[in-house]
């Protein structure tokens, strides 16, 4: 057990931590937007779009992440030349987004359905448009219900970034693996890696608690 | 399922729609703002007409702007406080500027007596308070017609009167209103016209007196009899005097009066009144009169739930007032949980500071927190 190696590896990982974090942040933001769009289209029963998205959701929930990344990074560019220069980082964000949004869409849809019909009716009965009703009355209330589940999806994305390694993105898992394979200090490398992931997720849990507390305004007697 | 409705309401008219559940009353109301989609026919409010089957989204939106609905379960926006609940339709539908919306909202909240609660969220309010805020929200949009969908049906009896009082005020101010309700007494009092519905059709309509006291159709007569709202009730009860306060204590507690099961008789108890149903001999209500702090006080009034709404409470209080006069009382005081009820009998609210300490509301957690009881006085 080499403590020196552990510290060095930790240092190396912290240097690429921004990669992991930006992969996470960008993918989560994009997924959320996409999930809301799909859920709202579902809610309003928009023809054609609804069916197209249904196929997309089924496909990306029905296949594992690594093959999805491979398909996007290696597979598609064989047909489309212009895509061959897209950096692995971007493809990873795209892949994580498409993957997570498929799951998050259900969370958002469930949250939208959980808002009592009466809220919607009251808004419409006072002359608000369906769009105003959705964004000012339904979505804000749905948010409170969706947050715990969405944080779950966020945690999944954090862990999903570890697969970026498979298409060549150097983030913390990549760094740990590469260093370990050179020095054979597998245990220290992966232990430190796990602890780092754990710390990231513990911090996110604190954030979640704060967000939920904030959203509870107006719901405590 | 509506089977053909033809209804016309004039501006400033108050129309009450009565009938059993499932007869289409709510459906009719909800067609007015297209919350239910009619198959055929047309709806006209003011200057806009919408024809069923050919209604565009824009037309429906325009139609909805001409009315405002008050729902049975209030439907206040739970994520906004009272003030912003009333402001919301003003900002979004009426396109008012924020400052103007706020001022308008505050003035309407004042009209329904909910101005002090404007920073509170709906979950902290009682049903009656929430409904009053809902009424303010609808009033603030100044629609052509106010649609009430059984406004008091979901309320505990103690809050029904405070909401009816607000609606009464609106009627006096000549708002155009369409009220679906079960409260017959109220309909008789407030409505210019009453419409009785059954089986998805209008069976009878006319002035309140015509439909409720002299119904012509068989179905109307049957319905009114089943609701037991006819004057024959006057002779089916009698009022006995006694000193049986202890026996009536459980009934008083159940009616929501502030007594505990092992409370002693009230200080200065003069006489108790028992409302007896002649047919069964059962006690269905009661009250007590006491003299304390140099004043004559009505200490309790209660009518069993099943017998409420028939004017028995009113009869009982009127009897107690006569009794107090027989004791040479100059005036009568009481603590009213439902001030509106006693106002109708001639009582007036007096500020707590001017009244003798006949109740210890200040130490009760519900005071000003769901309970708006007032001290009231009647000069005899």
């Amino acid at each position: 057990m080499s403590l020196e190696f552990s510290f060095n590896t930790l240092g190396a990982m912290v240097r690429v931590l921004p990669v992991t974090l930006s992969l996470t942040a960008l993918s989560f933001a994009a997924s959320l937007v996409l999930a809301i769009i799909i859920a709202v289209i579902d809610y309003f029963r928009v023809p054609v779009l609804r069916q197209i998205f249904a196929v997309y959701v089924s496909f990306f929930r029905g296949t594992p992440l690594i093959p999805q990344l491979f398909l996007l990074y290696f597979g598609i560019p064989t047909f489309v030349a212009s895509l061959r220069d897209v950096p692995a980082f971007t493809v990873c964000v795209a892949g994580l987004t498409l993957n997570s949004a498929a799951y998050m869409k259900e969370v958002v849809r469930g949250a939208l359905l959980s808002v009592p019909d009466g809220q919607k009716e009251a808004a419409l009965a006072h002359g608000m448009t369906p769009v105003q009703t959705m964004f000012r009355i339904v979505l804000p209330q749905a948010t409170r219900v969706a947050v715990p589940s969405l944080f779950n999806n966020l945690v999944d994305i954090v862990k999903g970034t570890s697969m970026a390694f498979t298409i060549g993105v150097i983030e913390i898992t990549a760094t740990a693996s590469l260093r370990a394979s050179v020095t054979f200090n597998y245990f220290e490398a992966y232990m430190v890696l796990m602890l780092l992931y754990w710390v990231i997720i513990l911090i996110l849990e604190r954030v979640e608690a704060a967000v939920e507390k904030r959203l509870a305004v107006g719901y405590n007697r | 399922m509506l089977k053909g409705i033809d209804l016309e309401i004039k501006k400033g008219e108050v129309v009450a729609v009565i009938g059993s559940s499932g007869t289409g009353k709510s459906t009719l109301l909800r067609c007015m703002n297209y919350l239910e989609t009619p198959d055929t026919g047309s709806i006209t409010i003011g200057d806009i007409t919408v024809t069923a089957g050919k209604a565009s989204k824009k037309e429906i939106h325009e139609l909805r702007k001409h009315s405002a609905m008050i729902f049975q379960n209030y439907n206040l926006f739970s994520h906004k406080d009272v003030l912003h609940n009333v402001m919301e339709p003003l900002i979004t539908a009426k396109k008012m500027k924020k400052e103007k919306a706020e001022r308008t909202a505050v003035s309407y909240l004042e009209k329904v007596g909910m101005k002090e609660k404007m920073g509170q969220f709906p979950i902290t309010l009682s049903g009656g308070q929430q409904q009053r805020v809902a009424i303010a929200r609808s009033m603030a949009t100044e629609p052509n017609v106010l649609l009430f969908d059984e406004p008091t049906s979901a309320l505990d009896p103690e809050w029904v009167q405070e909401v009816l009082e607000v609606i009464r005020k609106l009627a006096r101010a000549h708002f155009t209103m369409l009220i679906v309700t079960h409260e017959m007494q109220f309909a008789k009092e407030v409505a210019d016209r009453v419409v009785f519905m059954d089986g998805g059709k209008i069976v009878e309509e006319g002035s309140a007196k015509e439909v409720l006291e002299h119904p012509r159709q068989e179905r109307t007569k049957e319905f009114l009899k089943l609701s037991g709202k006819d004057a024959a009730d006057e002779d089916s009860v009698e009022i006995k005097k006694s000193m049986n306060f202890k026996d009536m204590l459980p009934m008083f507690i159940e009616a929501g009066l502030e007594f505990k099961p092992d409370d002693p008789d009230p200080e200065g108890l003069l006489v108790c009144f028992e409302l007896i149903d002649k047919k069964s001999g059962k006690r269905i209500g009661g009250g007590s009169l006491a003299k304390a702090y140099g004043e004559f006080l009505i200490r309790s009034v209660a009518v069993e739930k099943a017998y409420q709404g028939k004017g028995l409470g009113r009869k009982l209080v009127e009897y107690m007032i006569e009794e107090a006069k027989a004791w040479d009382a100059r005036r009568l005081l009481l603590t009213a949980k439902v001030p509106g009820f006693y106002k109708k009998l001639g009582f007036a609210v007096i500020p707590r500071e001017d009244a003798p300490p006949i109740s210890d509301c200040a130490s009760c957690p519900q005071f000003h927190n769901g309970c708006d009881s007032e001290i009231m006085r009647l000069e005899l």
Side-chain angles (χ1 to χ4, degrees), chain B residues 141-170:
Chain B
T141 59
E142 293 176 1
N144 292 51
V145 58
L146 285 170
L147 305 169
F148 290 82
D149 193 354
E150 302 203 28
T152 56
S153 296
L155 295 175
D156 283 352
E158 57 182 297
W159 298 320
V160 169
Q161 282 306 321
E162 74 187 52
V163 172
L164 293 183
E165 184 58 33
V166 172
I167 304 180
R168 221 173 267 129
K169 277 211 270 225
L170 292 172

PDB file of all heavy atoms in Angstrom, chain B residues 141-170:
ATOM      1  N   THR B 141     -61.064  39.833 -11.099  1.00  0.00           N
ATOM      2  CA  THR B 141     -60.961  39.873 -12.556  1.00  0.00           C
ATOM      3  C   THR B 141     -62.144  40.609 -13.171  1.00  0.00           C
ATOM      4  O   THR B 141     -62.217  40.782 -14.383  1.00  0.00           O
ATOM      5  CB  THR B 141     -60.902  38.449 -13.162  1.00  0.00           C
ATOM      6  OG1 THR B 141     -62.084  37.742 -12.772  1.00  0.00           O
ATOM      7  CG2 THR B 141     -59.693  37.713 -12.680  1.00  0.00           C
ATOM      8  N   GLU B 142     -63.085  41.043 -12.293  1.00  0.00           N
ATOM      9  CA  GLU B 142     -64.258  41.809 -12.733  1.00  0.00           C
ATOM     10  C   GLU B 142     -64.915  41.197 -13.970  1.00  0.00           C
ATOM     11  O   GLU B 142     -65.011  41.831 -15.021  1.00  0.00           O
ATOM     12  CB  GLU B 142     -63.870  43.267 -12.968  1.00  0.00           C
ATOM     13  CG  GLU B 142     -63.501  43.917 -11.640  1.00  0.00           C
ATOM     14  CD  GLU B 142     -63.004  45.340 -11.764  1.00  0.00           C
ATOM     15  OE1 GLU B 142     -62.961  45.852 -12.891  1.00  0.00           O
ATOM     16  OE2 GLU B 142     -62.662  45.915 -10.722  1.00  0.00           O
ATOM     17  N   PRO B 143     -65.358  39.941 -13.820  1.00  0.00           N
ATOM     18  CA  PRO B 143     -65.947  39.265 -14.981  1.00  0.00           C
ATOM     19  C   PRO B 143     -67.399  39.669 -15.183  1.00  0.00           C
ATOM     20  O   PRO B 143     -68.005  40.269 -14.299  1.00  0.00           O
ATOM     21  CB  PRO B 143     -65.871  37.790 -14.561  1.00  0.00           C
ATOM     22  CG  PRO B 143     -66.017  37.825 -13.070  1.00  0.00           C
ATOM     23  CD  PRO B 143     -65.414  39.116 -12.606  1.00  0.00           C
ATOM     24  N   ASN B 144     -67.957  39.278 -16.338  1.00  0.00           N
ATOM     25  CA  ASN B 144     -69.369  39.553 -16.587  1.00  0.00           C
ATOM     26  C   ASN B 144     -70.244  38.755 -15.636  1.00  0.00           C
ATOM     27  O   ASN B 144     -71.289  39.204 -15.203  1.00  0.00           O
ATOM     28  CB  ASN B 144     -69.751  39.168 -18.024  1.00  0.00           C
ATOM     29  CG  ASN B 144     -69.095  40.076 -19.027  1.00  0.00           C
ATOM     30  OD1 ASN B 144     -67.894  40.272 -18.984  1.00  0.00           O
ATOM     31  ND2 ASN B 144     -69.875  40.654 -19.907  1.00  0.00           N
ATOM     32  N   VAL B 145     -69.808  37.531 -15.362  1.00  0.00           N
ATOM     33  CA  VAL B 145     -70.606  36.676 -14.481  1.00  0.00           C
ATOM     34  C   VAL B 145     -69.706  35.854 -13.574  1.00  0.00           C
ATOM     35  O   VAL B 145     -68.628  35.418 -13.966  1.00  0.00           O
ATOM     36  CB  VAL B 145     -71.533  35.748 -15.314  1.00  0.00           C
ATOM     37  CG1 VAL B 145     -70.717  34.889 -16.269  1.00  0.00           C
ATOM     38  CG2 VAL B 145     -72.364  34.850 -14.436  1.00  0.00           C
ATOM     39  N   LEU B 146     -70.143  35.670 -12.316  1.00  0.00           N
ATOM     40  CA  LEU B 146     -69.413  34.838 -11.365  1.00  0.00           C
ATOM     41  C   LEU B 146     -70.099  33.482 -11.319  1.00  0.00           C
ATOM     42  O   LEU B 146     -71.308  33.392 -11.148  1.00  0.00           O
ATOM     43  CB  LEU B 146     -69.442  35.473  -9.969  1.00  0.00           C
ATOM     44  CG  LEU B 146     -68.543  36.682  -9.744  1.00  0.00           C
ATOM     45  CD1 LEU B 146     -68.877  37.335  -8.423  1.00  0.00           C
ATOM     46  CD2 LEU B 146     -67.077  36.269  -9.737  1.00  0.00           C
ATOM     47  N   LEU B 147     -69.315  32.426 -11.486  1.00  0.00           N
ATOM     48  CA  LEU B 147     -69.882  31.081 -11.479  1.00  0.00           C
ATOM     49  C   LEU B 147     -69.496  30.380 -10.184  1.00  0.00           C
ATOM     50  O   LEU B 147     -68.321  30.204  -9.894  1.00  0.00           O
ATOM     51  CB  LEU B 147     -69.335  30.283 -12.680  1.00  0.00           C
ATOM     52  CG  LEU B 147     -69.550  30.931 -14.048  1.00  0.00           C
ATOM     53  CD1 LEU B 147     -68.751  30.193 -15.108  1.00  0.00           C
ATOM     54  CD2 LEU B 147     -71.028  30.923 -14.416  1.00  0.00           C
ATOM     55  N   PHE B 148     -70.486  29.986  -9.389  1.00  0.00           N
ATOM     56  CA  PHE B 148     -70.204  29.326  -8.123  1.00  0.00           C
ATOM     57  C   PHE B 148     -70.582  27.850  -8.227  1.00  0.00           C
ATOM     58  O   PHE B 148     -71.751  27.524  -8.399  1.00  0.00           O
ATOM     59  CB  PHE B 148     -71.026  29.948  -6.992  1.00  0.00           C
ATOM     60  CG  PHE B 148     -70.588  31.332  -6.622  1.00  0.00           C
ATOM     61  CD1 PHE B 148     -71.015  32.429  -7.352  1.00  0.00           C
ATOM     62  CD2 PHE B 148     -69.765  31.544  -5.524  1.00  0.00           C
ATOM     63  CE1 PHE B 148     -70.621  33.711  -7.001  1.00  0.00           C
ATOM     64  CE2 PHE B 148     -69.373  32.820  -5.159  1.00  0.00           C
ATOM     65  CZ  PHE B 148     -69.799  33.905  -5.899  1.00  0.00           C
ATOM     66  N   ASP B 149     -69.608  26.967  -8.103  1.00  0.00           N
ATOM     67  CA  ASP B 149     -69.885  25.540  -8.172  1.00  0.00           C
ATOM     68  C   ASP B 149     -69.927  24.962  -6.769  1.00  0.00           C
ATOM     69  O   ASP B 149     -68.913  24.522  -6.232  1.00  0.00           O
ATOM     70  CB  ASP B 149     -68.798  24.840  -9.003  1.00  0.00           C
ATOM     71  CG  ASP B 149     -69.201  23.430  -9.378  1.00  0.00           C
ATOM     72  OD1 ASP B 149     -70.257  22.966  -8.900  1.00  0.00           O
ATOM     73  OD2 ASP B 149     -68.449  22.791 -10.135  1.00  0.00           O
ATOM     74  N   GLU B 150     -71.126  24.941  -6.174  1.00  0.00           N
ATOM     75  CA  GLU B 150     -71.324  24.431  -4.815  1.00  0.00           C
ATOM     76  C   GLU B 150     -70.283  24.984  -3.849  1.00  0.00           C
ATOM     77  O   GLU B 150     -69.506  24.242  -3.263  1.00  0.00           O
ATOM     78  CB  GLU B 150     -71.290  22.901  -4.812  1.00  0.00           C
ATOM     79  CG  GLU B 150     -72.327  22.305  -5.721  1.00  0.00           C
ATOM     80  CD  GLU B 150     -72.705  20.880  -5.340  1.00  0.00           C
ATOM     81  OE1 GLU B 150     -72.601  20.543  -4.155  1.00  0.00           O
ATOM     82  OE2 GLU B 150     -73.128  20.145  -6.240  1.00  0.00           O
ATOM     83  N   PRO B 151     -70.275  26.298  -3.668  1.00  0.00           N
ATOM     84  CA  PRO B 151     -69.201  26.945  -2.898  1.00  0.00           C
ATOM     85  C   PRO B 151     -69.104  26.505  -1.453  1.00  0.00           C
ATOM     86  O   PRO B 151     -68.036  26.593  -0.866  1.00  0.00           O
ATOM     87  CB  PRO B 151     -69.536  28.433  -3.000  1.00  0.00           C
ATOM     88  CG  PRO B 151     -70.991  28.475  -3.336  1.00  0.00           C
ATOM     89  CD  PRO B 151     -71.292  27.258  -4.114  1.00  0.00           C
ATOM     90  N   THR B 152     -70.218  26.026  -0.868  1.00  0.00           N
ATOM     91  CA  THR B 152     -70.111  25.692   0.551  1.00  0.00           C
ATOM     92  C   THR B 152     -70.208  24.195   0.819  1.00  0.00           C
ATOM     93  O   THR B 152     -70.165  23.765   1.964  1.00  0.00           O
ATOM     94  CB  THR B 152     -71.230  26.382   1.358  1.00  0.00           C
ATOM     95  OG1 THR B 152     -72.482  26.001   0.789  1.00  0.00           O
ATOM     96  CG2 THR B 152     -71.076  27.878   1.300  1.00  0.00           C
ATOM     97  N   SER B 153     -70.306  23.395  -0.217  1.00  0.00           N
ATOM     98  CA  SER B 153     -70.526  21.963  -0.006  1.00  0.00           C
ATOM     99  C   SER B 153     -69.374  21.252   0.678  1.00  0.00           C
ATOM    100  O   SER B 153     -69.559  20.239   1.321  1.00  0.00           O
ATOM    101  CB  SER B 153     -70.820  21.272  -1.338  1.00  0.00           C
ATOM    102  OG  SER B 153     -72.020  21.765  -1.871  1.00  0.00           O
ATOM    103  N   ALA B 154     -68.171  21.773   0.529  1.00  0.00           N
ATOM    104  CA  ALA B 154     -67.032  21.081   1.133  1.00  0.00           C
ATOM    105  C   ALA B 154     -66.635  21.690   2.470  1.00  0.00           C
ATOM    106  O   ALA B 154     -65.618  21.343   3.042  1.00  0.00           O
ATOM    107  CB  ALA B 154     -65.835  21.131   0.182  1.00  0.00           C
ATOM    108  N   LEU B 155     -67.452  22.608   2.961  1.00  0.00           N
ATOM    109  CA  LEU B 155     -67.053  23.312   4.177  1.00  0.00           C
ATOM    110  C   LEU B 155     -67.694  22.738   5.425  1.00  0.00           C
ATOM    111  O   LEU B 155     -68.845  22.323   5.407  1.00  0.00           O
ATOM    112  CB  LEU B 155     -67.462  24.793   4.077  1.00  0.00           C
ATOM    113  CG  LEU B 155     -66.756  25.598   2.996  1.00  0.00           C
ATOM    114  CD1 LEU B 155     -67.345  26.993   2.949  1.00  0.00           C
ATOM    115  CD2 LEU B 155     -65.278  25.680   3.292  1.00  0.00           C
ATOM    116  N   ASP B 156     -66.945  22.767   6.535  1.00  0.00           N
ATOM    117  CA  ASP B 156     -67.529  22.440   7.821  1.00  0.00           C
ATOM    118  C   ASP B 156     -68.621  23.465   8.126  1.00  0.00           C
ATOM    119  O   ASP B 156     -68.462  24.635   7.807  1.00  0.00           O
ATOM    120  CB  ASP B 156     -66.462  22.529   8.921  1.00  0.00           C
ATOM    121  CG  ASP B 156     -65.562  21.315   8.906  1.00  0.00           C
ATOM    122  OD1 ASP B 156     -65.860  20.359   8.166  1.00  0.00           O
ATOM    123  OD2 ASP B 156     -64.553  21.317   9.628  1.00  0.00           O
ATOM    124  N   PRO B 157     -69.683  23.044   8.778  1.00  0.00           N
ATOM    125  CA  PRO B 157     -70.801  23.960   9.020  1.00  0.00           C
ATOM    126  C   PRO B 157     -70.379  25.286   9.640  1.00  0.00           C
ATOM    127  O   PRO B 157     -70.951  26.323   9.340  1.00  0.00           O
ATOM    128  CB  PRO B 157     -71.700  23.181   9.991  1.00  0.00           C
ATOM    129  CG  PRO B 157     -71.394  21.769   9.725  1.00  0.00           C
ATOM    130  CD  PRO B 157     -69.947  21.710   9.314  1.00  0.00           C
ATOM    131  N   GLU B 158     -69.345  25.254  10.483  1.00  0.00           N
ATOM    132  CA  GLU B 158     -68.992  26.510  11.151  1.00  0.00           C
ATOM    133  C   GLU B 158     -68.439  27.544  10.188  1.00  0.00           C
ATOM    134  O   GLU B 158     -68.419  28.721  10.491  1.00  0.00           O
ATOM    135  CB  GLU B 158     -67.979  26.245  12.265  1.00  0.00           C
ATOM    136  CG  GLU B 158     -66.711  25.572  11.801  1.00  0.00           C
ATOM    137  CD  GLU B 158     -65.772  25.297  12.981  1.00  0.00           C
ATOM    138  OE1 GLU B 158     -65.337  26.252  13.611  1.00  0.00           O
ATOM    139  OE2 GLU B 158     -65.499  24.120  13.233  1.00  0.00           O
ATOM    140  N   TRP B 159     -67.997  27.128   9.021  1.00  0.00           N
ATOM    141  CA  TRP B 159     -67.454  28.104   8.081  1.00  0.00           C
ATOM    142  C   TRP B 159     -68.422  28.453   6.966  1.00  0.00           C
ATOM    143  O   TRP B 159     -68.147  29.326   6.161  1.00  0.00           O
ATOM    144  CB  TRP B 159     -66.163  27.558   7.450  1.00  0.00           C
ATOM    145  CG  TRP B 159     -65.094  27.318   8.430  1.00  0.00           C
ATOM    146  CD1 TRP B 159     -64.772  28.099   9.498  1.00  0.00           C
ATOM    147  CD2 TRP B 159     -64.212  26.215   8.454  1.00  0.00           C
ATOM    148  NE1 TRP B 159     -63.725  27.550  10.180  1.00  0.00           N
ATOM    149  CE2 TRP B 159     -63.359  26.398   9.562  1.00  0.00           C
ATOM    150  CE3 TRP B 159     -64.028  25.083   7.649  1.00  0.00           C
ATOM    151  CZ2 TRP B 159     -62.363  25.485   9.886  1.00  0.00           C
ATOM    152  CZ3 TRP B 159     -63.032  24.200   7.970  1.00  0.00           C
ATOM    153  CH2 TRP B 159     -62.218  24.393   9.069  1.00  0.00           C
ATOM    154  N   VAL B 160     -69.535  27.729   6.870  1.00  0.00           N
ATOM    155  CA  VAL B 160     -70.469  27.960   5.775  1.00  0.00           C
ATOM    156  C   VAL B 160     -71.013  29.385   5.823  1.00  0.00           C
ATOM    157  O   VAL B 160     -71.029  30.085   4.814  1.00  0.00           O
ATOM    158  CB  VAL B 160     -71.630  26.945   5.842  1.00  0.00           C
ATOM    159  CG1 VAL B 160     -72.742  27.344   4.883  1.00  0.00           C
ATOM    160  CG2 VAL B 160     -71.138  25.560   5.518  1.00  0.00           C
ATOM    161  N   GLN B 161     -71.394  29.832   7.004  1.00  0.00           N
ATOM    162  CA  GLN B 161     -72.011  31.157   7.114  1.00  0.00           C
ATOM    163  C   GLN B 161     -71.084  32.278   6.674  1.00  0.00           C
ATOM    164  O   GLN B 161     -71.515  33.218   6.002  1.00  0.00           O
ATOM    165  CB  GLN B 161     -72.472  31.411   8.555  1.00  0.00           C
ATOM    166  CG  GLN B 161     -73.757  30.707   8.915  1.00  0.00           C
ATOM    167  CD  GLN B 161     -74.883  31.022   7.961  1.00  0.00           C
ATOM    168  OE1 GLN B 161     -75.044  32.155   7.494  1.00  0.00           O
ATOM    169  NE2 GLN B 161     -75.670  30.016   7.633  1.00  0.00           N
ATOM    170  N   GLU B 162     -69.814  32.195   7.038  1.00  0.00           N
ATOM    171  CA  GLU B 162     -68.927  33.304   6.686  1.00  0.00           C
ATOM    172  C   GLU B 162     -68.788  33.426   5.171  1.00  0.00           C
ATOM    173  O   GLU B 162     -68.686  34.526   4.637  1.00  0.00           O
ATOM    174  CB  GLU B 162     -67.558  33.152   7.366  1.00  0.00           C
ATOM    175  CG  GLU B 162     -66.668  32.096   6.777  1.00  0.00           C
ATOM    176  CD  GLU B 162     -65.396  31.899   7.607  1.00  0.00           C
ATOM    177  OE1 GLU B 162     -65.511  31.701   8.818  1.00  0.00           O
ATOM    178  OE2 GLU B 162     -64.318  31.928   7.012  1.00  0.00           O
ATOM    179  N   VAL B 163     -68.833  32.288   4.480  1.00  0.00           N
ATOM    180  CA  VAL B 163     -68.741  32.334   3.020  1.00  0.00           C
ATOM    181  C   VAL B 163     -70.059  32.834   2.431  1.00  0.00           C
ATOM    182  O   VAL B 163     -70.075  33.665   1.520  1.00  0.00           O
ATOM    183  CB  VAL B 163     -68.383  30.949   2.446  1.00  0.00           C
ATOM    184  CG1 VAL B 163     -68.479  30.952   0.936  1.00  0.00           C
ATOM    185  CG2 VAL B 163     -66.984  30.560   2.884  1.00  0.00           C
ATOM    186  N   LEU B 164     -71.170  32.348   2.983  1.00  0.00           N
ATOM    187  CA  LEU B 164     -72.474  32.808   2.490  1.00  0.00           C
ATOM    188  C   LEU B 164     -72.619  34.308   2.686  1.00  0.00           C
ATOM    189  O   LEU B 164     -73.224  35.001   1.869  1.00  0.00           O
ATOM    190  CB  LEU B 164     -73.608  32.077   3.212  1.00  0.00           C
ATOM    191  CG  LEU B 164     -73.729  30.584   2.918  1.00  0.00           C
ATOM    192  CD1 LEU B 164     -74.926  29.994   3.646  1.00  0.00           C
ATOM    193  CD2 LEU B 164     -73.874  30.336   1.425  1.00  0.00           C
ATOM    194  N   GLU B 165     -72.032  34.818   3.759  1.00  0.00           N
ATOM    195  CA  GLU B 165     -72.092  36.254   4.029  1.00  0.00           C
ATOM    196  C   GLU B 165     -71.416  37.032   2.910  1.00  0.00           C
ATOM    197  O   GLU B 165     -71.925  38.050   2.441  1.00  0.00           O
ATOM    198  CB  GLU B 165     -71.409  36.539   5.376  1.00  0.00           C
ATOM    199  CG  GLU B 165     -71.498  37.987   5.828  1.00  0.00           C
ATOM    200  CD  GLU B 165     -72.914  38.489   5.963  1.00  0.00           C
ATOM    201  OE1 GLU B 165     -73.797  37.684   6.331  1.00  0.00           O
ATOM    202  OE2 GLU B 165     -73.155  39.665   5.677  1.00  0.00           O
ATOM    203  N   VAL B 166     -70.258  36.555   2.470  1.00  0.00           N
ATOM    204  CA  VAL B 166     -69.552  37.227   1.375  1.00  0.00           C
ATOM    205  C   VAL B 166     -70.399  37.194   0.109  1.00  0.00           C
ATOM    206  O   VAL B 166     -70.541  38.198  -0.597  1.00  0.00           O
ATOM    207  CB  VAL B 166     -68.185  36.557   1.105  1.00  0.00           C
ATOM    208  CG1 VAL B 166     -67.556  37.130  -0.143  1.00  0.00           C
ATOM    209  CG2 VAL B 166     -67.271  36.748   2.288  1.00  0.00           C
ATOM    210  N   ILE B 167     -71.011  36.040  -0.159  1.00  0.00           N
ATOM    211  CA  ILE B 167     -71.827  35.925  -1.374  1.00  0.00           C
ATOM    212  C   ILE B 167     -73.050  36.831  -1.259  1.00  0.00           C
ATOM    213  O   ILE B 167     -73.491  37.434  -2.243  1.00  0.00           O
ATOM    214  CB  ILE B 167     -72.252  34.459  -1.604  1.00  0.00           C
ATOM    215  CG1 ILE B 167     -71.015  33.563  -1.668  1.00  0.00           C
ATOM    216  CG2 ILE B 167     -73.038  34.329  -2.893  1.00  0.00           C
ATOM    217  CD1 ILE B 167     -71.316  32.099  -1.885  1.00  0.00           C
ATOM    218  N   ARG B 168     -73.576  36.925  -0.041  1.00  0.00           N
ATOM    219  CA  ARG B 168     -74.711  37.816   0.175  1.00  0.00           C
ATOM    220  C   ARG B 168     -74.352  39.243  -0.215  1.00  0.00           C
ATOM    221  O   ARG B 168     -75.112  39.949  -0.868  1.00  0.00           O
ATOM    222  CB  ARG B 168     -75.079  37.768   1.657  1.00  0.00           C
ATOM    223  CG  ARG B 168     -76.570  37.749   1.926  1.00  0.00           C
ATOM    224  CD  ARG B 168     -76.844  37.536   3.384  1.00  0.00           C
ATOM    225  NE  ARG B 168     -77.037  36.141   3.705  1.00  0.00           N
ATOM    226  CZ  ARG B 168     -76.400  35.494   4.668  1.00  0.00           C
ATOM    227  NH1 ARG B 168     -75.493  36.106   5.399  1.00  0.00           N
ATOM    228  NH2 ARG B 168     -76.646  34.215   4.907  1.00  0.00           N
ATOM    229  N   LYS B 169     -73.139  39.664   0.225  1.00  0.00           N
ATOM    230  CA  LYS B 169     -72.686  41.027  -0.087  1.00  0.00           C
ATOM    231  C   LYS B 169     -72.618  41.230  -1.592  1.00  0.00           C
ATOM    232  O   LYS B 169     -72.997  42.264  -2.112  1.00  0.00           O
ATOM    233  CB  LYS B 169     -71.289  41.279   0.510  1.00  0.00           C
ATOM    234  CG  LYS B 169     -71.308  41.683   1.960  1.00  0.00           C
ATOM    235  CD  LYS B 169     -70.146  42.609   2.297  1.00  0.00           C
ATOM    236  CE  LYS B 169     -68.960  41.778   2.735  1.00  0.00           C
ATOM    237  NZ  LYS B 169     -68.255  42.193   3.888  1.00  0.00           N
ATOM    238  N   LEU B 170     -72.111  40.225  -2.296  1.00  0.00           N
ATOM    239  CA  LEU B 170     -71.994  40.319  -3.745  1.00  0.00           C
ATOM    240  C   LEU B 170     -73.374  40.459  -4.382  1.00  0.00           C
ATOM    241  O   LEU B 170     -73.561  41.228  -5.321  1.00  0.00           O
ATOM    242  CB  LEU B 170     -71.308  39.065  -4.308  1.00  0.00           C
ATOM    243  CG  LEU B 170     -69.840  38.889  -3.963  1.00  0.00           C
ATOM    244  CD1 LEU B 170     -69.360  37.523  -4.425  1.00  0.00           C
ATOM    245  CD2 LEU B 170     -69.014  39.965  -4.624  1.00  0.00           C
TER     246      LEU B 170
END
